[in-house]
Amino acid sequence: MSLQKAQTYIEDEVLYDHIGDVFKALKEYSLACKYWRKSLDMDPRQALVQQKIKESEKCVVSQSSHRLN
């Protein structure tokens, strides 16, 4: 993924936010949250990113419970 390659050159909260968005679109919610948390570490005032994490964490729990059944 080009965005992941970009992170080797720059660290930026917007870049991490976008990487999270891509992983969410791929239904890779754990990875999405990982990158959104990196974004929040750089700027904790991002309400939208905080909301994305909350919503995706629900999906992670849902996916886990489906796998157990």
Side-chain angles (χ1 to χ4, degrees), residues 3-66:
L3 289 174
Q4 282 183 300
K5 188 174 181 181
Q7 76 173 336
T8 62
Y9 300 106
I10 60 171
E11 288 189 11
D12 181 77
E13 68 271 10
V14 175
L15 175 65
Y16 292 138
D17 181 20
H18 290 312
I19 293 172
D21 292 342
V22 170
F23 279 118
K24 180 185 176 206
L26 296 171
K27 297 186 184 337
E28 295 287 345
Y29 301 109
S30 294
L31 287 172
C33 287
K34 172 186 169 183
Y35 283 97
W36 287 327
R37 285 189 188 100
K38 282 186 170 192
S39 181
L40 278 181
D41 287 345
M42 298 182 86
D43 182 4
R45 300 168 294 171
Q46 301 178 81
L48 181 58
V49 174
Q50 292 172 356
Q51 184 62 34
K52 289 177 184 181
I53 291 171
K54 283 182 186 178
E55 291 173 3
S56 289
E57 284 176 338
K58 292 175 189 175
C59 293
V60 170
V61 170
S62 176
Q63 281 182 335
S64 295
S65 66
H66 287 301

